Amino acid sequence: MKKVIEMEELILDVFRKSNCKAGEIIMKKTLKIIYRNLNPEEKKLFDETLENLISEDFISYDPNEGICLRLGQKGYDRIY
């Protein structure tokens, strides 16, 4: 089973692979590709980790589109 730090990297790696800058977005469905390959325990950890990254301002939901995630400055600083 993956650990929290590994799950954070798995999520943030989507932004890294897309070469996102702070303020840029990815489609939430991009994360669903990762999500469906996880076991039930990992899915629970994924959901908790995603909410934690949002609460700590690493990423945010795009307020205009609920289908996008926006990379915050803290997230950008961490992945680059």
Side-chain angles (χ1 to χ4, degrees):
M1 182 162 144
K2 296 184 184 310
K3 298 177 183 173
V4 173
I5 191 75
E6 292 171 317
M7 200 61 72
E8 287 176 352
E9 287 304 311
L10 190 63
I11 294 168
L12 292 173
D13 197 44
V14 174
F15 289 96
R16 187 181 296 116
K17 287 179 179 176
S18 297
N19 294 318
C20 286
K21 306 277 187 255
E24 293 183 340
I25 61 171
I26 61 163
M27 300 300 287
K28 223 168 119 179
K29 67 181 178 181
T30 306
L31 292 178
K32 287 185 180 183
I33 296 168
I34 296 167
Y35 190 80
R36 70 175 153 214
N37 293 319
L38 301 174
N39 67 44
E41 289 180 26
E42 290 174 333
K43 286 180 179 180
K44 182 180 177 192
L45 180 60
F46 181 93
D47 292 337
E48 292 169 358
T49 303
L50 182 61
E51 290 303 318
N52 189 46
L53 288 170
I54 291 168
S55 70
E56 292 183 12
D57 296 324
F58 285 92
I59 57 176
S60 63
Y61 285 110
D62 185 69
N64 299 321
E65 296 286 328
I67 57 172
C68 300
L69 293 170
R70 186 173 302 277
L71 183 63
Q73 185 63 48
K74 285 175 72 175
Y76 176 81
D77 293 342
R78 177 162 170 191
I79 63 176
Y80 297 108

Coordinates of all heavy atoms in Angstrom, one line a residue:
M1 N 0.8 -1.2 0.0 CA 0.0 0.0 0.0 C 0.9 1.2 0.0 O 1.9 1.3 0.6 CB -0.9 0.0 1.2 CG -1.8 1.2 1.3 SD -3.2 0.9 2.4 CE -3.3 2.6 3.0
K2 N 0.4 2.2 -0.7 CA 1.1 3.5 -0.8 C 1.0 4.3 0.5 O 0.1 4.2 1.2 CB 0.6 4.3 -2.0 CG 0.8 3.7 -3.3 CD 0.4 4.6 -4.4 CE 0.4 3.9 -5.8 NZ 1.7 3.3 -6.1
K3 N 2.0 5.1 0.7 CA 2.1 6.0 1.9 C 1.6 7.4 1.5 O 1.5 7.7 0.3 CB 3.5 6.1 2.4 CG 4.0 4.8 2.9 CD 5.4 4.9 3.4 CE 5.9 3.6 3.8 NZ 7.3 3.6 4.1
V4 N 1.3 8.3 2.4 CA 0.8 9.6 2.1 C 1.7 10.4 1.2 O 1.2 10.9 0.2 CB 0.5 10.4 3.5 CG1 0.2 11.8 3.2 CG2 -0.5 9.7 4.3
I5 N 3.0 10.4 1.5 CA 3.9 11.1 0.6 C 3.9 10.6 -0.8 O 4.0 11.4 -1.7 CB 5.4 11.1 1.3 CG1 6.2 12.1 0.5 CG2 6.0 9.8 1.2 CD1 6.0 13.5 0.9
E6 N 3.8 9.3 -0.9 CA 3.8 8.7 -2.3 C 2.5 9.1 -3.0 O 2.5 9.4 -4.2 CB 3.8 7.2 -2.2 CG 5.2 6.6 -1.7 CD 5.1 5.1 -1.5 OE1 4.2 4.6 -0.9 OE2 6.1 4.5 -1.9
M7 N 1.4 9.2 -2.3 CA 0.1 9.6 -2.9 C 0.2 11.1 -3.3 O -0.3 11.4 -4.3 CB -1.0 9.3 -1.9 CG -2.4 9.2 -2.5 SD -2.6 7.9 -3.8 CE -2.6 6.5 -2.8
E8 N 0.8 11.9 -2.4 CA 0.9 13.3 -2.8 C 1.7 13.4 -4.1 O 1.4 14.2 -4.9 CB 1.6 14.1 -1.6 CG 0.8 14.3 -0.4 CD 1.5 15.0 0.7 OE1 2.8 15.1 0.6 OE2 0.9 15.3 1.7
E9 N 2.8 12.7 -4.2 CA 3.6 12.8 -5.4 C 2.9 12.3 -6.6 O 3.1 12.8 -7.7 CB 5.0 12.0 -5.2 CG 5.9 12.7 -4.2 CD 6.3 14.1 -4.7 OE1 6.6 14.3 -5.9 OE2 6.2 15.0 -3.9
L10 N 2.1 11.2 -6.4 CA 1.3 10.7 -7.5 C 0.3 11.8 -8.1 O 0.2 11.9 -9.3 CB 0.5 9.5 -7.0 CG -0.2 8.6 -8.0 CD1 0.8 8.0 -9.0 CD2 -1.0 7.6 -7.3
I11 N -0.3 12.5 -7.2 CA -1.2 13.6 -7.6 C -0.5 14.7 -8.2 O -0.8 15.2 -9.3 CB -2.1 14.0 -6.4 CG1 -3.0 12.9 -5.9 CG2 -2.9 15.3 -6.7 CD1 -3.7 13.1 -4.6
L12 N 0.6 15.2 -7.5 CA 1.3 16.4 -8.0 C 2.1 16.1 -9.3 O 2.3 17.0 -10.1 CB 2.3 16.9 -6.9 CG 1.6 17.5 -5.7 CD1 2.6 17.8 -4.6 CD2 0.8 18.7 -6.1
D13 N 2.4 14.8 -9.5 CA 3.1 14.4 -10.7 C 2.3 14.7 -12.0 O 2.8 14.9 -13.0 CB 3.5 12.9 -10.6 CG 4.6 12.6 -11.6 OD1 5.6 13.4 -11.8 OD2 4.5 11.5 -12.3
V14 N 1.0 14.6 -11.8 CA 0.1 15.0 -13.0 C 0.3 16.4 -13.4 O 0.4 16.7 -14.6 CB -1.4 14.7 -12.6 CG1 -2.3 15.2 -13.7 CG2 -1.6 13.3 -12.3
F15 N 0.5 17.3 -12.5 CA 0.8 18.7 -12.8 C 2.2 18.8 -13.4 O 2.4 19.5 -14.3 CB 0.7 19.6 -11.6 CG -0.7 19.8 -11.1 CD1 -1.2 19.0 -10.1 CD2 -1.5 20.8 -11.6 CE1 -2.5 19.2 -9.6 CE2 -2.8 21.0 -11.2 CZ -3.3 20.2 -10.2
R16 N 3.1 18.1 -12.8 CA 4.5 18.1 -13.3 C 4.6 17.6 -14.7 O 5.3 18.3 -15.5 CB 5.4 17.2 -12.4 CG 6.9 17.3 -12.6 CD 7.7 16.4 -11.7 NE 7.6 16.8 -10.3 CZ 7.1 16.1 -9.3 NH1 6.5 14.9 -9.6 NH2 7.0 16.5 -8.1
K17 N 4.0 16.5 -15.0 CA 4.0 16.0 -16.4 C 3.3 16.9 -17.4 O 3.7 16.9 -18.6 CB 3.4 14.6 -16.4 CG 4.2 13.5 -15.7 CD 3.5 12.2 -15.8 CE 4.4 11.1 -15.1 NZ 3.7 9.8 -15.0
S18 N 2.4 17.7 -16.9 CA 1.7 18.7 -17.8 C 2.5 20.0 -17.9 O 2.0 20.9 -18.5 CB 0.3 18.9 -17.3 OG -0.4 17.7 -17.4
N19 N 3.6 20.1 -17.2 CA 4.4 21.3 -17.2 C 3.6 22.5 -16.7 O 3.8 23.6 -17.2 CB 5.1 21.6 -18.5 CG 6.1 20.5 -18.9 OD1 6.9 20.1 -18.0 ND2 6.1 20.1 -20.1
C20 N 2.8 22.3 -15.7 CA 1.9 23.4 -15.2 C 2.7 24.4 -14.4 O 3.6 24.0 -13.7 CB 0.8 22.8 -14.3 SG -0.5 22.0 -15.2
K21 N 2.4 25.6 -14.6 CA 2.9 26.7 -13.8 C 1.8 27.0 -12.7 O 0.7 26.6 -12.8 CB 3.1 28.0 -14.6 CG 4.0 27.8 -15.8 CD 5.4 27.9 -15.5 CE 6.3 27.8 -16.7 NZ 7.0 26.6 -16.9
A22 N 2.2 27.8 -11.7 CA 1.2 28.2 -10.7 C 0.0 28.9 -11.4 O 0.2 29.7 -12.2 CB 1.8 29.1 -9.7
G23 N -1.2 28.5 -11.0 CA -2.4 29.1 -11.6 C -2.9 28.3 -12.7 O -4.1 28.6 -13.2
E24 N -2.2 27.4 -13.3 CA -2.7 26.6 -14.4 C -3.5 25.4 -14.0 O -3.4 25.0 -12.8 CB -1.5 26.2 -15.3 CG -0.9 27.4 -16.0 CD 0.2 27.0 -17.0 OE1 0.8 25.9 -16.9 OE2 0.5 27.8 -17.8
I25 N -4.3 24.9 -14.9 CA -5.2 23.8 -14.5 C -5.0 22.5 -15.2 O -4.3 22.5 -16.2 CB -6.7 24.3 -14.7 CG1 -6.9 24.5 -16.2 CG2 -7.1 25.4 -13.9 CD1 -8.3 24.7 -16.6
I26 N -5.5 21.5 -14.6 CA -5.6 20.2 -15.2 C -7.1 19.7 -15.1 O -7.8 20.2 -14.2 CB -4.7 19.1 -14.6 CG1 -5.0 18.8 -13.2 CG2 -3.2 19.4 -14.8 CD1 -4.4 17.5 -12.6
M27 N -7.5 18.9 -15.9 CA -8.9 18.3 -15.8 C -8.9 17.3 -14.7 O -8.0 16.5 -14.6 CB -9.3 17.7 -17.1 CG -9.3 18.7 -18.3 SD -10.4 20.0 -18.1 CE -12.0 19.3 -18.3
K28 N -10.0 17.3 -13.9 CA -10.1 16.4 -12.8 C -10.1 14.9 -13.3 O -9.7 14.0 -12.7 CB -11.4 16.7 -12.1 CG -11.3 16.6 -10.6 CD -12.5 17.3 -9.9 CE -13.2 16.3 -9.1 NZ -14.3 16.8 -8.5
K29 N -10.6 14.7 -14.5 CA -10.7 13.4 -15.1 C -9.4 12.8 -15.3 O -9.2 11.5 -15.3 CB -11.6 13.4 -16.4 CG -10.9 14.1 -17.5 CD -11.9 14.0 -18.7 CE -11.3 14.8 -19.9 NZ -12.1 14.7 -21.0
T30 N -8.3 13.6 -15.4 CA -7.0 13.1 -15.5 C -6.6 12.3 -14.3 O -5.9 11.2 -14.4 CB -6.0 14.2 -15.7 OG1 -6.4 15.0 -16.8 CG2 -4.6 13.7 -15.9
L31 N -7.1 12.7 -13.1 CA -6.8 12.0 -11.9 C -7.6 10.7 -11.8 O -7.2 9.7 -11.1 CB -7.1 12.8 -10.7 CG -6.1 14.0 -10.5 CD1 -6.6 14.8 -9.2 CD2 -4.7 13.6 -10.3
K32 N -8.7 10.6 -12.5 CA -9.5 9.4 -12.4 C -8.8 8.2 -13.1 O -9.1 7.1 -12.7 CB -10.9 9.7 -13.1 CG -11.8 10.5 -12.3 CD -13.1 10.7 -12.9 CE -14.0 11.6 -12.1 NZ -15.4 11.7 -12.6
I33 N -8.0 8.5 -14.0 CA -7.2 7.4 -14.6 C -6.3 6.8 -13.6 O -6.2 5.5 -13.5 CB -6.3 8.0 -15.8 CG1 -7.2 8.5 -16.9 CG2 -5.4 6.9 -16.3 CD1 -6.6 9.3 -17.9
I34 N -5.7 7.6 -12.7 CA -4.9 7.0 -11.6 C -5.7 6.3 -10.6 O -5.4 5.2 -10.2 CB -4.1 8.2 -11.0 CG1 -3.1 8.8 -11.9 CG2 -3.4 7.7 -9.7 CD1 -2.5 10.1 -11.5
Y35 N -6.8 7.0 -10.3 CA -7.7 6.5 -9.2 C -8.3 5.1 -9.5 O -8.3 4.3 -8.6 CB -8.9 7.5 -9.1 CG -9.8 7.3 -7.9 CD1 -9.4 7.7 -6.6 CD2 -11.0 6.6 -8.0 CE1 -10.2 7.6 -5.5 CE2 -11.8 6.5 -6.9 CZ -11.4 6.9 -5.7 OH -12.2 6.7 -4.6
R36 N -8.6 4.8 -10.7 CA -9.2 3.5 -11.0 C -8.2 2.4 -10.9 O -8.6 1.2 -10.8 CB -10.0 3.5 -12.3 CG -9.1 3.6 -13.5 CD -9.9 3.5 -14.8 NE -9.2 4.2 -15.8 CZ -9.8 4.8 -16.8 NH1 -11.1 4.9 -16.9 NH2 -9.0 5.4 -17.7
N37 N -7.0 2.7 -10.9 CA -5.9 1.6 -10.8 C -5.5 1.4 -9.3 O -4.6 0.6 -9.1 CB -4.7 2.0 -11.6 CG -5.0 2.0 -13.1 OD1 -5.7 1.1 -13.6 ND2 -4.5 3.0 -13.8
L38 N -6.2 2.0 -8.4 CA -5.8 1.9 -7.0 C -6.8 0.8 -6.3 O -7.9 0.7 -6.7 CB -6.0 3.2 -6.2 CG -5.1 4.4 -6.7 CD1 -5.5 5.6 -6.0 CD2 -3.6 4.0 -6.6
N39 N -6.3 0.2 -5.3 CA -7.1 -0.7 -4.5 C -8.0 0.1 -3.5 O -7.8 1.3 -3.4 CB -6.3 -1.8 -3.8 CG -5.4 -1.2 -2.7 OD1 -5.8 -0.4 -1.9 ND2 -4.2 -1.7 -2.6
P40 N -9.0 -0.5 -2.9 CA -9.9 0.3 -2.1 C -9.2 1.1 -0.9 O -9.6 2.3 -0.7 CB -10.8 -0.8 -1.5 CG -10.9 -1.8 -2.5 CD -9.5 -1.9 -3.1
E41 N -8.3 0.6 -0.3 CA -7.5 1.3 0.8 C -6.8 2.5 0.2 O -6.7 3.5 0.8 CB -6.6 0.4 1.5 CG -7.3 -0.6 2.4 CD -6.3 -1.6 3.1 OE1 -5.2 -1.2 3.3 OE2 -6.7 -2.7 3.5
E42 N -6.2 2.3 -1.0 CA -5.4 3.3 -1.6 C -6.4 4.4 -2.1 O -6.0 5.6 -2.1 CB -4.6 2.8 -2.8 CG -3.4 2.0 -2.3 CD -2.7 1.3 -3.5 OE1 -3.3 1.0 -4.5 OE2 -1.5 1.0 -3.3
K43 N -7.6 4.1 -2.5 CA -8.6 5.0 -3.0 C -9.0 6.0 -1.8 O -9.1 7.2 -2.0 CB -9.8 4.4 -3.6 CG -9.5 3.8 -4.9 CD -10.8 3.1 -5.5 CE -10.4 2.6 -6.9 NZ -11.6 1.9 -7.5
K44 N -9.1 5.4 -0.7 CA -9.5 6.2 0.5 C -8.3 7.1 0.8 O -8.5 8.3 1.1 CB -9.7 5.2 1.7 CG -10.1 6.0 2.9 CD -10.4 5.0 4.1 CE -10.7 5.9 5.3 NZ -10.7 5.1 6.5
L45 N -7.1 6.6 0.8 CA -5.9 7.5 1.1 C -5.8 8.6 0.0 O -5.5 9.7 0.3 CB -4.7 6.6 1.1 CG -3.3 7.4 1.4 CD1 -3.4 8.1 2.7 CD2 -2.2 6.4 1.3
F46 N -6.1 8.2 -1.3 CA -6.0 9.2 -2.4 C -7.0 10.3 -2.1 O -6.6 11.5 -2.2 CB -6.4 8.5 -3.7 CG -6.4 9.4 -4.9 CD1 -5.2 9.5 -5.7 CD2 -7.5 10.1 -5.2 CE1 -5.2 10.3 -6.8 CE2 -7.4 11.0 -6.4 CZ -6.3 11.0 -7.1
D47 N -8.2 10.0 -1.7 CA -9.3 11.0 -1.4 C -8.8 11.9 -0.3 O -8.9 13.2 -0.4 CB -10.6 10.4 -1.1 CG -11.2 9.7 -2.3 OD1 -10.9 10.0 -3.5 OD2 -12.1 8.8 -2.1
E48 N -8.3 11.3 0.8 CA -7.8 12.1 1.9 C -6.7 13.0 1.6 O -6.6 14.2 2.0 CB -7.4 11.2 3.1 CG -8.6 10.4 3.7 CD -8.2 9.3 4.6 OE1 -6.9 9.1 4.8 OE2 -9.1 8.7 5.2
T49 N -5.8 12.5 0.8 CA -4.6 13.2 0.3 C -5.0 14.4 -0.6 O -4.4 15.5 -0.4 CB -3.6 12.3 -0.4 OG1 -3.2 11.2 0.5 CG2 -2.3 13.0 -0.8
L50 N -5.9 14.2 -1.5 CA -6.3 15.2 -2.4 C -7.0 16.3 -1.6 O -6.7 17.5 -1.8 CB -7.3 14.7 -3.4 CG -7.9 15.7 -4.4 CD1 -6.7 16.2 -5.2 CD2 -8.9 15.0 -5.3
E51 N -7.8 16.0 -0.6 CA -8.5 17.0 0.2 C -7.4 17.7 1.1 O -7.5 19.0 1.3 CB -9.5 16.4 1.1 CG -10.7 15.9 0.4 CD -11.4 17.0 -0.4 OE1 -11.6 18.2 0.1 OE2 -11.8 16.7 -1.6
N52 N -6.4 17.0 1.5 CA -5.3 17.7 2.3 C -4.5 18.7 1.5 O -4.2 19.8 1.9 CB -4.4 16.6 2.9 CG -3.4 17.2 3.9 OD1 -3.8 18.0 4.7 ND2 -2.2 16.8 3.8
L53 N -4.2 18.3 0.2 CA -3.5 19.2 -0.7 C -4.3 20.4 -1.0 O -3.8 21.5 -1.1 CB -3.1 18.5 -2.0 CG -2.0 17.4 -1.9 CD1 -1.9 16.6 -3.2 CD2 -0.7 18.0 -1.6
I54 N -5.6 20.3 -1.1 CA -6.5 21.4 -1.3 C -6.6 22.3 0.0 O -6.4 23.5 -0.2 CB -7.9 20.9 -1.7 CG1 -7.9 20.3 -3.1 CG2 -8.9 22.1 -1.7 CD1 -9.1 19.5 -3.5
S55 N -6.7 21.7 1.1 CA -6.8 22.5 2.4 C -5.5 23.2 2.7 O -5.5 24.3 3.3 CB -7.2 21.6 3.5 OG -6.2 20.7 3.9
E56 N -4.4 22.7 2.2 CA -3.1 23.3 2.4 C -2.7 24.3 1.3 O -1.5 24.7 1.2 CB -2.0 22.3 2.7 CG -2.2 21.6 4.0 CD -1.1 20.6 4.3 OE1 -0.1 20.6 3.6 OE2 -1.3 19.7 5.2
D57 N -3.6 24.5 0.3 CA -3.4 25.4 -0.8 C -2.3 25.0 -1.8 O -1.7 25.8 -2.5 CB -3.1 26.8 -0.3 CG -4.3 27.4 0.4 OD1 -5.4 27.1 0.0 OD2 -4.1 28.2 1.4
F58 N -2.0 23.7 -1.9 CA -1.1 23.2 -2.9 C -1.8 23.2 -4.2 O -1.3 23.5 -5.3 CB -0.6 21.8 -2.6 CG 0.5 21.8 -1.5 CD1 0.1 21.6 -0.2 CD2 1.8 22.0 -1.8 CE1 1.1 21.7 0.8 CE2 2.8 22.0 -0.9 CZ 2.4 21.8 0.5
I59 N -3.1 22.8 -4.2 CA -4.0 22.9 -5.4 C -5.3 23.4 -4.9 O -5.6 23.5 -3.7 CB -4.1 21.5 -6.0 CG1 -4.6 20.4 -5.0 CG2 -2.8 21.0 -6.6 CD1 -4.9 19.1 -5.7
S60 N -6.2 23.7 -5.9 CA -7.5 24.1 -5.5 C -8.5 23.7 -6.7 O -8.0 23.5 -7.8 CB -7.6 25.7 -5.3 OG -7.3 26.3 -6.5
Y61 N -9.8 23.7 -6.3 CA -10.8 23.5 -7.4 C -10.9 24.8 -8.1 O -10.9 25.8 -7.5 CB -12.1 23.1 -6.8 CG -12.2 21.7 -6.3 CD1 -12.2 21.4 -4.9 CD2 -12.2 20.6 -7.2 CE1 -12.3 20.1 -4.5 CE2 -12.2 19.3 -6.7 CZ -12.3 19.0 -5.4 OH -12.3 17.8 -4.9
D62 N -11.0 24.8 -9.4 CA -11.2 26.0 -10.2 C -12.6 26.4 -9.9 O -13.6 25.7 -10.0 CB -11.1 25.7 -11.7 CG -11.2 26.9 -12.5 OD1 -10.2 27.8 -12.4 OD2 -12.2 27.1 -13.2
P63 N -12.8 27.6 -9.3 CA -14.1 28.1 -8.9 C -15.1 28.2 -10.0 O -16.3 28.1 -9.8 CB -13.8 29.5 -8.3 CG -12.6 29.9 -8.8 CD -11.8 28.7 -9.2
N64 N -14.7 28.4 -11.2 CA -15.6 28.6 -12.4 C -16.0 27.3 -13.0 O -17.1 27.2 -13.6 CB -15.0 29.5 -13.4 CG -14.7 30.9 -12.9 OD1 -15.5 31.4 -12.1 ND2 -13.6 31.4 -13.3
E65 N -15.2 26.3 -12.9 CA -15.4 25.0 -13.5 C -15.5 23.9 -12.5 O -14.9 23.4 -12.4 CB -14.3 24.7 -14.5 CG -14.1 25.7 -15.6 CD -15.1 25.5 -16.7 OE1 -15.6 24.4 -16.9 OE2 -15.5 26.5 -17.3
G66 N -16.0 23.3 -11.8 CA -15.7 22.3 -10.8 C -15.0 21.1 -11.3 O -14.8 20.2 -10.6
I67 N -14.7 21.1 -12.6 CA -14.1 19.9 -13.2 C -12.6 20.0 -13.4 O -12.0 19.2 -13.9 CB -14.8 19.6 -14.6 CG1 -14.6 20.8 -15.5 CG2 -16.2 19.2 -14.4 CD1 -15.1 20.5 -17.0
C68 N -12.1 21.1 -12.9 CA -10.7 21.4 -13.0 C -10.0 21.6 -11.7 O -10.6 22.0 -10.7 CB -10.4 22.7 -13.8 SG -11.1 22.6 -15.5
L69 N -8.7 21.2 -11.6 CA -7.9 21.5 -10.4 C -6.8 22.5 -10.8 O -6.2 22.4 -11.9 CB -7.3 20.2 -9.9 CG -8.2 19.2 -9.3 CD1 -7.5 17.9 -9.1 CD2 -8.9 19.7 -8.1
R70 N -6.6 23.5 -10.0 CA -5.6 24.6 -10.3 C -4.4 24.4 -9.4 O -4.6 24.2 -8.2 CB -6.3 25.9 -10.0 CG -5.5 27.1 -10.4 CD -6.2 28.4 -10.3 NE -7.4 28.4 -11.1 CZ -7.5 28.7 -12.4 NH1 -6.4 29.0 -13.1 NH2 -8.6 28.7 -13.1
L71 N -3.2 24.5 -9.9 CA -2.0 24.4 -9.2 C -1.7 25.7 -8.4 O -1.7 26.7 -9.1 CB -0.8 24.0 -10.1 CG 0.5 23.8 -9.4 CD1 0.5 22.6 -8.5 CD2 1.6 23.6 -10.5
G72 N -1.6 25.6 -7.1 CA -1.3 26.8 -6.4 C 0.2 27.1 -6.3 O 1.0 26.2 -6.8
Q73 N 0.6 28.2 -5.8 CA 2.0 28.6 -5.8 C 2.8 27.6 -4.9 O 3.9 27.2 -5.2 CB 2.2 30.0 -5.2 CG 3.6 30.5 -5.2 CD 4.2 30.6 -6.7 OE1 3.6 31.1 -7.6 NE2 5.4 30.0 -6.8
K74 N 2.2 27.2 -3.7 CA 2.9 26.2 -2.9 C 3.1 24.9 -3.6 O 4.1 24.3 -3.5 CB 2.0 26.0 -1.6 CG 2.1 27.1 -0.6 CD 1.2 26.9 0.6 CE 1.7 25.8 1.5 NZ 0.8 25.6 2.7
G75 N 2.1 24.5 -4.4 CA 2.2 23.2 -5.2 C 3.3 23.4 -6.2 O 4.1 22.5 -6.4
Y76 N 3.4 24.5 -6.9 CA 4.4 24.8 -7.9 C 5.8 24.7 -7.3 O 6.7 24.1 -7.8 CB 4.1 26.1 -8.6 CG 5.2 26.5 -9.6 CD1 5.2 26.0 -10.8 CD2 6.2 27.4 -9.2 CE1 6.1 26.3 -11.8 CE2 7.2 27.7 -10.1 CZ 7.1 27.2 -11.4 OH 8.1 27.5 -12.3
D77 N 5.9 25.4 -6.1 CA 7.2 25.4 -5.4 C 7.7 24.0 -5.0 O 8.9 23.7 -5.1 CB 7.2 26.3 -4.2 CG 7.0 27.8 -4.6 OD1 7.2 28.2 -5.7 OD2 6.6 28.6 -3.7
R78 N 6.7 23.2 -4.7 CA 7.1 21.9 -4.2 C 7.5 21.0 -5.4 O 8.5 20.2 -5.3 CB 5.9 21.2 -3.5 CG 6.2 19.8 -3.1 CD 5.3 19.3 -2.1 NE 5.5 17.9 -1.9 CZ 4.7 17.1 -1.2 NH1 3.7 17.7 -0.6 NH2 5.0 15.9 -1.1
I79 N 6.8 21.0 -6.5 CA 7.1 20.1 -7.6 C 8.3 20.6 -8.5 O 8.9 19.8 -9.2 CB 5.9 19.8 -8.5 CG1 5.4 21.0 -9.2 CG2 4.9 19.1 -7.6 CD1 4.2 20.7 -10.1
Y80 N 8.6 21.9 -8.4 CA 9.8 22.3 -9.2 C 10.8 22.8 -8.3 O 11.6 23.4 -8.1 CB 9.3 23.4 -10.2 CG 8.3 22.9 -11.2 CD1 7.0 23.3 -11.1 CD2 8.7 22.0 -12.2 CE1 6.1 22.8 -12.1 CE2 7.8 21.5 -13.1 CZ 6.5 22.0 -13.0 OH 5.6 21.5 -14.0

